[in-house]
Amino acid sequence: MSENLPPCPECSSAYTYEMGALLVCPECGHEWSPAAGGGGSEGEDGAGRTVRDAVGNVLADGDTVTVVKTLKVKGSPTGIKAGTKVRNIRLVDGTDGHDIDCKVDGFGAMQLKSSVVKKA
């Protein structure tokens, strides 16, 4: 625990640590970019563009979203059903419009399009 790391902007925990380019809070699981000042650029990814969900809400790193339509998953007999909650998303500059990096329960890590999710 370094003295120069800022406290978590979500829960004010002093036990933050670095993981790559992000700061992480072990108590609440919140992740943020130190350059963003703890969430000062809500809804913007690294390129400075705003990422919006299927209904127009601005998304930010760490948000919880709900899948709005059933998605087919390659290599899986069942897909991700509509209404599935995905917690702690990370906005990325992905390929083919896949701009959300997340872990889906039962499927693991994957990328989703913001057009198929709704902010919870």
Side-chain angles (χ1 to χ4, degrees):
M1 308 314 149
S2 178
E3 298 294 326
N4 60 357
L5 295 177
C8 175
E10 294 290 316
C11 69
S12 301
S13 170
Y15 301 112
T16 58
Y17 62 92
E18 291 183 59
M19 183 188 313
L22 297 175
L23 295 177
V24 181
C25 175
E27 293 185 10
C28 69
H30 181 68
E31 297 177 348
W32 72 99
S33 172
S41 62
E42 289 291 317
E44 293 185 2
D45 63 4
R49 65 182 175 94
T50 304
V51 178
R52 297 185 179 268
D53 66 2
V55 294
N57 297 322
V58 176
L59 296 174
D61 286 346
D63 281 347
T64 298
V65 295
T66 304
V67 178
V68 294
K69 68 179 196 176
T70 301
L71 304 172
K72 293 181 182 178
V73 177
K74 187 187 289 187
S76 173
T78 61
I80 300 172
K81 296 187 180 194
T84 302
K85 284 199 175 205
V86 180
R87 293 179 181 81
N88 205 13
I89 65 169
R90 182 177 300 145
L91 302 179
V92 295
D93 190 22
T95 58
D96 287 338
H98 294 85
D99 46 10
I100 296 174
D101 194 23
C102 60
K103 289 183 183 175
V104 180
D105 290 340
F107 292 94
M110 63 178 47
Q111 290 187 340
L112 298 174
K113 292 183 178 183
S114 58
S115 61
V116 297
V117 298
K118 178 177 75 170
K119 191 171 184 177

